[in-house]
Amino acid sequence: MARTPLPYTTTNNLTRRLALLQAKRISERGGMKVNISEVEQELAAYCGVSRDTIIMIKRGVNQPSLPLALKICEFFGAKVEDIFTLVDS
């Protein structure tokens, strides 16, 4: 059964947020390299989802459920509107 498309979409700035966190982790480790995949995995583990789920949301392929969006924002210590933007289709 095909899903009915939603009448809206969301955009997000997860790419930017993850890059900033990656830079913070590099600084904390005294300049040692930290792959973005490590940071994505850290977020995924915190949210209780797979890294693939985080990647799909980051790319805008999937839209997060409300509980997942709230958990992502909690991880970054940010408001929902600081990370996700609602766009009418």
Side-chain angles (χ1 to χ4, degrees):
M1 179 186 299
R3 287 185 0 178
T4 304
L6 297 172
Y8 59 86
T9 59
T10 59
T11 59
N12 66 70
N13 66 10
L14 276 180
T15 300
R16 180 175 173 273
R17 292 280 180 159
L18 289 166
L20 290 171
L21 185 56
Q22 179 186 27
K24 181 180 175 186
R25 295 290 185 261
I26 290 170
S27 176
E28 290 171 352
R29 294 184 184 179
M32 289 177 53
K33 185 176 180 178
V34 175
N35 291 324
I36 195 68
S37 61
E38 293 176 46
V39 181
E40 291 167 347
Q41 184 57 48
E42 184 181 342
L43 173 59
Y46 182 84
C47 295
V49 298
S50 70
R51 180 173 163 252
D52 288 339
T53 298
I54 298 299
I55 291 169
M56 298 296 267
I57 293 169
K58 180 175 87 169
R59 291 181 179 163
V61 174
N62 289 348
Q63 297 181 43
S65 64
L66 180 57
L68 180 54
L70 292 172
K71 197 71 173 167
I72 290 169
C73 293
E74 181 181 80
F75 177 82
F76 288 109
K79 298 178 188 173
V80 172
E81 58 270 18
D82 292 341
I83 296 179
F84 298 99
T85 305
L86 187 63
V87 179
D88 291 328
S89 297

